Amino acid sequence: MSIQQPCDSLWRASAPAASELMPLEQELDVDVAIVGGGFTGLSAALHLAKFGLSVALVEASEIGYGGSGRNVGLANAGLWLEPDDLDRQLGKEAGKTLYDALAVAPDYVYGLVEEYGIQCEATRNGTLHCGVGKAGLAQLQRRCEQMQQRGAPVTLLDAPEAQARIGSKKFNSALFDPRAGTIQPLGYARGLAHAALKEGAQLFDQSPVENVLPEGDRWLVKTARGSVKADKVVLATNAYGEYGVKQQARKFVPIFYSQLATQPLPQDVLDVILPNKEGCWDTCTVMSSFRLDQQGRLVFGGMGGEKHYHASWATQRVKELWPVLEKVSWEYSWTGKIAYSEDHLPHCQQLQRGLYSVAGYSGRGIGPGTIMGKELAQWFAGKRDALSAPMTTLRDIPLREVKRMFYEVGAHTYHVGQRTHVLD
């Protein structure tokens, strides 16, 4: 397999055109101001406008610039945590509330796609959590049992069926979830922006927030050339909290995740690799993900931001998984950031009266971000009494930078070790 000089993101290259927005250059007065144009902020803006509240969203760069436009594009149900772990962390009642809300997240995501005609390569053929080794199989067995106890229509595939569905003999099992699927994530983010504008929300890009200040019993969100006065403010920057809300960045560990995409694969290869086009990720400690886009490109990703080592490792790993891909070249390469909280749960925080933050999806932003944005809007509009995610106060993560480096060095070491193992 040869590596051509990678360029930009596949998602940027293939997404439908973005809405034509302008920087904020005036003084606005609205019910709710939102900082961040990703899934959470866009969903909140869309639903707030739909409920009749005035809303202005400001984005530092462009819509979907952060993790929302850079992720794998798996529209999953539920959370990263195993369901029993969720109950232990929150208690059974609160755990069930959050689990139930996110179990139907794919239904809601694909419902919005249909309602607003969002062009995002929506493919709902399920996902496969792919088992590696005895520990991986044991993990999938636990997850399957716990999810089935909660009514999830998941199935644990044995080695022959998993290998046939994945097209690789390197996996001993797979947990199939038919509720889930894949999307083109930047296309989805841009589609949410189109929908929010249609409902009457005001969106502004290229408008980094310089400060968020209390002003009497209200709030003032200031950018270089404008401001938004609002009753409530939602900070929805997730792992990209450096843009005007740096204090929030201290609450999460940012993890880099890199992806590469091949050229479109020939049909005889597509008949073997993921013939049903499920989205996949594995049970390895340093997780990998893989899926196809609608043009037949293989999109392969893993933790870590070191592009040279990541590309070399991915090349060798793909050759090991699918020998038929030996002559395929990478066409795109890009990196994003994931916000990991210490408990791997999303957190809604009321920082001060009227000032809220939602972040910490730990790599599961599509469904949870969409749901959390909708619930915030319902709450502000008086349509629900509380959010599904508990309101919490997060402390600063001690040794945050050390922990970030631990993940990065661990991913780098794993990639180099795996590459050496394959070459040997």
Side-chain angles (χ1 to χ4, degrees), residues 222-276:
K222 298 187 68 175
T223 67
R225 298 182 180 180
S227 65
V228 182
K229 187 180 292 186
D231 297 326
K232 295 180 175 66
V233 175
V234 177
L235 306 179
T237 56
N238 205 36
Y240 292 76
E242 63 266 32
Y243 296 103
V245 286
K246 291 183 179 180
Q247 69 274 21
Q248 285 307 293
R250 301 195 304 262
K251 312 294 184 180
F252 304 95
V253 178
I255 306 298
F256 285 98
Y257 197 89
S258 297
Q259 295 182 81
L260 300 100
T262 67
Q263 297 172 340
L265 304 177
Q267 187 57 51
D268 62 329
V269 175
L270 293 173
D271 290 339
V272 175
I273 297 175
L274 299 175
N276 298 324

Side-chain angles (χ1 to χ4, degrees), residues 185-243:
L186 182 57
Y188 178 58
R190 289 179 175 179
L192 288 177
H194 287 306
L197 290 168
K198 180 180 178 181
E199 295 292 351
Q202 299 182 77
L203 309 182
F204 303 90
D205 63 5
Q206 307 302 324
S207 302
V209 169
E210 295 185 342
N211 219 332
V212 180
L213 302 168
E215 189 170 272
D217 59 354
R218 306 188 75 203
W219 289 91
L220 187 67
V221 177
K222 298 187 68 175
T223 67
R225 298 182 180 180
S227 65
V228 182
K229 187 180 292 186
D231 297 326
K232 295 180 175 66
V233 175
V234 177
L235 306 179
T237 56
N238 205 36
Y240 292 76
E242 63 266 32
Y243 296 103

